[in-house]
Amino acid sequence: MIHDLASSIHLAFPELILAVGALILLVVGVFLGDRSLTGLSWAAVGVFALAGLHLHFGPGIAFGGLYVNDAFSTFFKVLILSAAGVSVLLALPYLKHSATSARFEYPVLLTLGALGMCMMVSANDLLSLYVGLELQSLAAYVLAAFNRSESRSSEAGLKYFVLGALASGILLYGISLVYGFTGTTNFTALHGLVHGGAARNIGVLVGLVFILSGLAFKVSAVPFHMWTPDVYEGAPTPVAAFFAAAPKAAAMGLLVRVSMQAFGGMVVDWQQIVMFAAIASMLLGAVGAIGQTNIKRLLAYSSINNVGFALIGLSAATPAGVASVLFYMTVYLVMTLGSFLCVLAMRDASGKPVETLASLAGLSRSRPGLAAALAVFMFSLAGIPPLLGFWPKFAVFTAAIDAQQYVLATIGVLASVIGAYYYLRVIKAMYFDEPAPVFAPADSRVNTAMIGAAALFCSPIGMFAITPLTSAAQAAALALF
Amino acid sequence: MLSILIMLPVVACAWILLAPGDEMRRAANARMTALAVTSIEFAIGILLWLSFDTASSAFQFVENLPLFAPYLAWHLGIDGISLMLIMLSVFLMPLCILASWTSIQKRVPEYMAAFLLMETLMIGVFASLDLFLFYLFFEGGLIPMYLIIGIWGGARRIYASYKFFLYTLLGSVVMLLAMLYMTGVAHTTDITTLMAFNFAPGVQTWLWLAFFASFAVKMPMWPVHTWLPDAHVEAPTAGSVILAGVLLKLGGYGFVRFSLPMFPQASVQLMWLIFALSMVAVVYTSIVALVQTDMKKLIAYSSVAHMAFVTAGLFAFNTQGLEGGVLMMLSHGLVSGALFLCVGVIYDRLHTRDIDRYGGLADNMPKYALFFLFFTMASIGLPATSGFVAEFLVLAGSYKAASWLALIMTTGIILGAAYMLYLYRRVVFGALVKDDVRAMPDLSAREVAILLPITLAVLWMGIYPASFLKPLRAPVAALLVRLSAANPGEQSVNLHK
């Protein structure tokens, strides 16, 4: 028992660092007040870095089977910690600009959210899954309503909370059904029962559908996507950037682990659900974005669209397919964070944030560097080679073709053409239209550096990352098989 | 050597965009750098040609670095066909830069950078020996061309740029699926291996159709040609030159490099489809060209008709047809490029492409009238010009394949003479009555310097085509061996005739 605890603590050390770090940040913040925002933010990044340094690949199960550490979880934790760190930093100029929201809770909440996400991807039991998911979601609900004085933000928070609570309820109901029919909530045990055929009955199937629905809400896959555009639009821009990045990756990791590991013996049962969600997300994300005039809403639809592509890899249900999901999420994180960083960097002359597509007009004249970076992200999201964004799409299509899912791959490429249209609209506004009023110059060197790094990664130079990334993704994916 | 050829414009591109200074100095720097780099590229191209072994059908100057494993490799190499098309690209590029010297005043550094990027991507397409490296360059070309049409184009540039982008993208993604399937079956992305790989006959048909979707749009073949007139009309002059001169050749190159050797059985089976579309295109687009009032649109439609000659020649499956098809691509690249330059010359002066606004140019612009006449004749296919050699070979090849095919294609030549002469008469002959037209000055030294090299190249190809045919011999012969070996007993593959 003592030995188990010691090894458990060793395995879960990164999470412990996050938990303790969040509490210390909270206490310090309470004493120092809102003026400690900058210091706390950098301290939070330090906590993420410290947790990151303690990540290890040693496979192992901890806390009596509740928690698992393997290459798969480590891969996602690297993504989550990096995305969370970027999300903390990118918010600083925004928070300082608006007097009401310059509050120290932001980095603390993000640290707690990161802890929840790390728990999610390390969950080896339906209960620890639920606990991790709720910790992340609760932090997210508060963050969505962070601009207390603004009604849009409060509305976003409330919407997210009500719909999120509903999704959690559905998920919990599914968990209870699975537990009722199998007598276990442990992934390893479930895998054995399901694989042996002992647990393949209608009750488990219904439970599986409920669990997948709850998780589909978290990755904002169609038909559980309705909250996404509203919440992204209403939430403060840095929060929307955070929502589009780290929680998506974590939820996707969770979805993959539940599907491939706990229910790995029921592939034929969940494959059609995932396929449907993939097709619907790709098409709705692409078509829905066409009419949008707000960049944040456009990026919300873009994220729905991208989740659809990533799900193609999952529906292949092969090691290559899972690896392509991991590769996809990695590149998606960079492209999305980069796009949101560009949105954050755009202010009109009076310093007010700019969010409409029309106000991008002529950005290539007033801020050529920023426009070029955003153009790189847009072409990359559209999946045009040689930009890096093409290769994850390439990977998921390869996986689908190898798994002989020709229809899915064909719909996928067609959706990518439809999707290209709205990404082109952004570029058209920036490059083809006559310049709109002058933009304010860049105000944050950190953000500018992050935009530059992300743009460089998404440019053809990023292709040199293909080899290391795919081999890491492959190793991580094999942990599930 | 090929890597240098491909990467040099990218380096220049970075320098142009990052160069310091005010707007005037940056523009001057961009022009000079672009001209210097494209000229160096041309010099490298000449060196390539001189050191190329024309007797061999193997790929030469091969470089193979597994840089982006497992998805693709930096695998380059050229045979005679790619060599000729690379020569065409590097030859036209400095002329394009010169043609934009004064007509582009807006955002010069970006413009020159886009053209240099275009050059990289075009050479890359012709030099790739890796399936996905090819796709990367093939698709990547959309980005600079989209920007060139959209930023520096005419009144309806936005519509044209979207149409160009989405049309070609839709064709290409279908090809991408086929490529993914091929690598899944053959377990390689190496083009040389795939050219000798035998796919199952039923599969070949599907793969062929998928590649056809992409190449037919790029070519463009009737009925998916409608993006071309819009793109041509709206693009700036140099953009049209590159579009007509090189980008349209990607489709033909794709047929030669992929469809024919990789799917030989499907190619023979679906020959009728290509022939049918080619015949419709030749007659239909020629008639459409007759009624155009916009000069660029007229030349755009004539391009579609000429491209139909290319496809008919390539799918005739004999030496004359194949060599004629490739030669037609080269000839059309020079001639239509020159015609667009000729339109650009008077467009720069009067800012309209409306044929009726001109007339009687022979009186006040004699030098211009001479050059324009020469390229009009070359487009019609007058002997001693490149057009004649190419059309003759294609007709000889298609006559062997099917005499009725040659019959229809010949009517295309007659119609071609009709619309080109009609255009020439309306623009250059007649009375010089309009005051603004009378005020137009004749060609400047710079404009002569642009048109003269193309004139010489067209004459060279027309009088002594052997220099251009020599590199094509070996790869065409190898292709025919492959076709006839895959289709034993098939009458339509005339290897020894």
Side-chain angles (χ1 to χ4, degrees):
Chain A
M1 189 65 207
I2 299 292
H3 177 72
D4 177 54
L5 189 65
S7 72
S8 296
I9 287 176
H10 173 68
L11 277 174
F13 207 64
E15 279 83 356
L16 290 176
I17 293 175
L18 287 176
V20 174
L23 296 178
I24 294 174
L25 291 181
L26 182 61
V27 172
V28 174
V30 167
F31 275 101
L32 293 182
D34 291 338
R35 68 201 146 85
S36 62
L37 177 65
T38 312
L40 281 186
S41 295
W42 284 101
V45 174
V47 170
F48 294 147
L50 195 63
L53 285 177
H54 285 87
L55 288 177
H56 50 90
F57 294 94
I61 290 190
F63 301 116
L66 286 173
Y67 177 101
V68 62
N69 188 61
D70 53 18
F72 183 81
S73 69
T74 307
F75 187 95
F76 269 106
K77 280 178 201 171
V78 172
L79 292 189
I80 289 165
L81 292 174
S82 333
V86 171
S87 306
V88 170
L89 291 182
L90 63 76
L92 275 178
Y94 179 94
L95 294 179
K96 281 187 208 152
H97 257 278
S98 61
T100 51
S101 62
R103 302 185 56 87
F104 73 89
E105 287 96 339
Y106 184 82
V108 179
L109 283 168
L110 265 176
T111 317
L112 285 170
L115 171 62
M117 289 184 274
C118 288
M119 280 303 298
M120 282 160 71
V121 294
S122 267
N124 193 40
D125 189 291
L126 289 170
L127 284 179
S128 49
L129 172 161
Y130 184 74
V131 170
L133 195 67
E134 280 306 284
L135 179 55
Q136 178 264 320
S137 300
L138 284 172
Y141 301 145
V142 183
L143 282 170
F146 204 69
N147 255 353
R148 287 179 304 173
S149 52
E150 207 190 317
S151 58
R152 267 202 323 172
S153 180
S154 311
E155 182 195 327
L158 192 66
K159 247 182 203 160
Y160 194 19
F161 175 69
V162 172
L163 288 174
L166 181 69
S168 296
I170 294 174
L171 180 72
L172 210 51
Y173 188 52
I175 291 175
S176 72
L177 274 175
V178 169
Y179 178 64
F181 279 88
T182 60
T184 180
T185 53
N186 186 279
F187 288 177
T188 326
L190 268 174
H191 184 261
L193 285 172
V194 171
H195 212 71
R200 282 190 65 177
N201 54 44
I202 190 77
V204 176
L205 197 61
V206 173
L208 171 69
V209 172
F210 277 109
I211 292 176
L212 288 184
S213 307
L215 293 179
F217 176 90
K218 298 294 173 190
V219 296
S220 68
V222 177
F224 302 98
H225 65 285
M226 277 81 98
W227 58 276
T228 322
D230 290 344
V231 170
Y232 281 24
E233 188 190 9
T237 312
V239 175
F242 169 68
F243 285 171
K248 251 196 194 149
M252 191 55 94
L254 187 59
L255 182 60
V256 171
R257 192 189 283 282
V258 170
S259 324
M260 294 309 306
Q261 212 167 41
F263 296 99
M266 296 174 74
V267 170
V268 280
D269 294 316
W270 57 256
Q271 204 168 26
Q272 39 189 319
I273 303 178
V274 174
M275 261 175 158
F276 169 78
I279 293 175
S281 306
M282 287 187 298
L283 290 177
L284 196 131
V287 175
I290 290 176
Q292 301 306 323
T293 53
N294 181 299
I295 308 167
K296 280 159 76 181
R297 284 186 83 86
L298 190 137
L299 286 172
Y301 278 102
S302 150
S303 84
I304 296 172
N305 177 257
N306 275 294
V307 162
F309 284 110
L311 287 178
I312 292 183
L314 176 57
S315 77
T318 55
V322 173
S324 72
V325 176
L326 304 195
F327 183 40
Y328 200 104
M329 291 318 285
T330 313
V331 178
Y332 163 77
L333 282 191
V334 180
M335 295 189 295
T336 297
L337 283 173
S339 312
F340 271 106
L341 272 162
C342 289
V343 176
L344 272 170
M346 287 181 298
R347 292 171 199 288
D348 59 15
S350 64
K352 270 183 60 179
V354 165
E355 285 179 10
T356 61
L357 203 54
S359 57
L360 282 179
L363 188 71
S364 63
R365 297 290 193 83
S366 41
R367 301 269 307 268
L370 184 67
L374 191 53
V376 166
F377 297 132
M378 289 297 128
F379 277 127
S380 187
L381 280 165
I384 307 293
L387 299 169
L388 191 66
F390 168 71
W391 299 106
K393 287 206 167 78
F394 176 90
V396 293
F397 292 143
T398 312
I401 296 255
D402 287 346
Q404 302 187 337
Q405 295 177 343
Y406 303 120
V407 177
L408 189 58
T410 310
I411 296 177
V413 295
L414 295 181
S416 79
V417 176
I418 303 174
Y421 172 72
Y422 64 84
Y423 295 121
L424 287 184
R425 276 179 64 214
V426 179
I427 295 169
K428 176 219 155 218
M430 293 190 301
Y431 279 88
F432 300 174
D433 291 351
E434 286 310 308
V438 185
F439 277 84
D443 56 355
S444 161
R445 241 177 280 158
V446 180
N447 280 13
T448 313
M450 288 196 290
I451 292 177
L456 219 54
F457 182 75
C458 293
S459 75
I461 298 169
M463 279 175 59
F464 288 101
I466 288 177
T467 310
L469 270 180
T470 46
S471 56
Q474 227 134 32
L478 281 176
L480 293 189
F481 287 86
Chain B
M1 198 124 129
L2 288 174
S3 288
I4 298 173
L5 199 62
I6 290 177
M7 293 317 291
L8 186 64
V10 178
V11 176
C13 193
W15 160 244
I16 284 177
L17 288 177
L18 299 177
D22 60 4
E23 204 166 328
M24 286 290 289
R25 270 190 51 200
R26 289 188 70 219
N29 170 56
R31 289 194 184 105
M32 288 312 295
T33 316
L35 185 63
V37 168
T38 48
S39 308
I40 295 172
E41 291 277 295
F42 181 54
I44 300 178
I46 298 273
L47 273 179
L48 270 185
W49 195 358
L50 291 179
S51 47
F52 187 84
D53 175 14
T54 50
S56 157
S57 70
F59 286 93
Q60 300 173 34
F61 306 105
V62 174
E63 298 170 29
N64 194 354
L65 300 170
L67 281 184
F68 313 114
Y71 292 160
L72 72 166
W74 184 258
H75 190 181
L76 304 171
I78 51 173
D79 66 357
I81 299 172
S82 356
L83 173 76
M84 286 288 92
L85 288 166
I86 289 178
M87 284 311 297
L88 178 68
S89 318
V90 293
F91 174 70
L92 285 177
M93 216 58 200
L95 305 177
C96 284
I97 303 290
L98 271 180
S100 325
W101 204 259
T102 53
S103 59
I104 299 294
Q105 292 295 343
K106 187 172 89 168
R107 309 170 85 177
V108 182
E110 286 94 333
Y111 180 86
M112 295 299 170
F115 265 85
L116 288 172
L117 211 56
M118 209 62 232
E119 178 163 30
T120 289
L121 296 168
M122 289 178 319
I123 298 171
V125 167
F126 297 131
S128 297
L129 281 187
D130 184 285
L131 202 54
F132 296 111
L133 192 64
F134 168 84
Y135 185 79
L136 180 157
F137 287 124
F138 190 79
E139 279 288 273
L142 291 183
I143 298 177
M145 204 61 211
Y146 171 75
L147 295 175
I148 289 171
I149 298 176
I151 300 181
W152 296 279
R156 288 173 72 237
R157 60 203 162 91
I158 290 167
Y159 170 77
S161 60
Y162 275 125
K163 194 168 177 179
F164 163 75
F165 196 101
L166 295 176
Y167 227 117
T168 32
L169 182 64
L170 186 61
S172 308
V173 292
V174 182
M175 175 173 77
L176 176 65
L177 285 182
M179 286 180 163
L180 292 174
Y181 179 86
M182 285 161 66
T183 49
V185 173
H187 300 292
T188 178
T189 58
D190 179 29
I191 288 180
T192 40
T193 317
L194 286 168
M195 279 166 78
F197 191 88
N198 295 314
F199 292 97
V203 172
Q204 272 193 24
T205 311
W206 287 106
L207 294 176
W208 190 93
L209 285 172
F211 275 76
F212 174 73
S214 175
F215 297 146
V217 171
K218 265 274 170 18
M219 193 94 198
M221 293 176 75
W222 184 87
V224 285
H225 65 283
T226 59
W227 63 270
L228 183 73
D230 285 310
H232 264 321
V233 167
E234 300 307 330
T237 302
S240 297
V241 174
I242 286 301
L243 199 56
V246 188
L247 284 189
L248 296 194
K249 274 62 205 178
L250 299 187
Y253 177 75
F255 280 127
V256 179
R257 178 68 69 237
F258 296 91
S259 303
L260 292 179
M262 292 184 194
F263 324 120
Q265 282 149 310
S267 296
V268 171
Q269 262 171 33
L270 291 161
M271 182 169 75
W272 60 271
L273 177 65
I274 297 278
F275 284 169
L277 294 182
S278 302
M279 288 189 292
V280 174
V282 159
V283 177
Y284 170 80
T285 51
S286 298
I287 294 174
V288 172
L290 265 175
V291 297
Q292 294 306 315
T293 56
D294 183 312
M295 283 188 277
K296 271 184 149 181
K297 229 172 188 159
L298 191 150
I299 300 172
Y301 279 110
S302 88
S303 289
V304 182
H306 280 105
M307 286 298 113
F309 274 93
V310 176
T311 45
L314 295 182
F315 280 79
F317 303 125
N318 49 45
T319 315
Q320 290 89 336
L322 273 164
E323 287 181 0
V326 178
L327 207 63
M328 188 76 189
M329 292 202 257
L330 300 177
S331 163
H332 175 263
L334 295 172
V335 173
S336 74
L339 284 172
F340 278 117
L341 286 169
C342 285
V343 174
V345 164
I346 50 176
Y347 180 81
D348 283 347
R349 287 165 173 69
L350 210 58
H351 297 286
T352 174
R353 298 179 305 263
D354 200 356
I355 298 173
D356 294 340
R357 291 281 293 108
Y358 297 94
L361 287 179
D363 287 345
N364 64 335
M365 297 178 74
K367 279 191 262 177
Y368 174 76
L370 182 66
F371 277 113
F372 195 17
L373 180 69
F374 177 77
F375 292 118
T376 304
M377 292 304 154
S379 175
I380 296 169
L382 206 70
T385 63
S386 60
F388 172 74
V389 183
E391 282 179 1
F392 182 80
L393 280 173
V394 168
L395 286 177
S398 49
Y399 185 80
K400 275 189 187 175
S403 51
W404 41 269
L405 173 68
L407 178 72
I408 305 277
M409 300 311 277
T410 316
T411 58
I413 298 186
I414 298 166
L415 285 169
Y419 61 73
M420 284 314 292
L421 290 175
Y422 187 41
L423 168 73
Y424 191 76
R425 190 197 71 75
R426 283 181 291 172
V427 173
V428 177
F429 293 149
L432 185 59
V433 285
K434 298 172 183 103
D435 288 335
D436 48 358
V437 176
R438 189 175 300 157
M440 282 161 58
D442 206 352
L443 294 182
S444 67
R446 178 180 60 86
E447 285 159 343
V448 174
I450 299 168
L451 292 174
L452 196 61
I454 309 186
T455 313
L456 296 178
V458 168
L459 278 174
W460 182 8
M461 204 185 283
I463 294 169
Y464 192 68
S467 353
F468 299 90
L469 285 172
K470 211 170 149 201
L472 305 181
R473 287 263 147 78
V476 164
L479 189 56
L480 281 171
V481 169
R482 165 86 176 140
L483 279 165
S484 61
N487 296 284
E490 183 67 52
Q491 282 303 308
S492 52
V493 184
N494 300 296
L495 178 56
H496 299 295
K497 274 192 196 170

